[in-house]
């Protein structure tokens, strides 16, 4: 996770767990743990990079389980 200081939005890079260690809640715990310093820094919105999500429903499920929702933003010039 890294914090964009300009807009106070942290970004979680793709988060994953080795297949042999999935399902006991390690990825969820890591994501939830990362939200605490982000909120302390003033973040009200967080971003997770979920590239290739249609091919990885487990990843979508993990991100949604901690409160992330699908959102797309476009900058218009």
């Amino acid at each position: 996770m890294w914090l964009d200081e300009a807009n106070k939005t942290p970004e979680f890079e793709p988060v994953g767990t080795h297949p042999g260690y999935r399902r006991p809640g390690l990825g969820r715990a890591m994501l939830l743990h990362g939200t605490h310093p982000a909120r302390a820094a003033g973040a009200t919105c967080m971003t997770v990079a979920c590239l290739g999500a249609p091919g990885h429903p487990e990843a979508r499920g993990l991100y949604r389980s901690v409160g992330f929702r699908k959102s797309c933003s476009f900058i218009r010039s």
Side-chain angles (χ1 to χ4, degrees), residues 46-63:
M46 299 178 201
T47 303
V48 66
C50 192
L51 302 175
H56 301 280
E58 300 88 358
R60 284 195 320 262
L62 169 63
Y63 301 140

Side-chain angles (χ1 to χ4, degrees), residues 15 17 25-34 61-67:
V15 175
T17 306
L26 298 173
R28 180 178 165 80
M30 189 167 46
L31 285 167
L32 289 173
H33 178 73
L62 169 63
Y63 301 140
R64 288 181 178 152
S65 78
V66 296

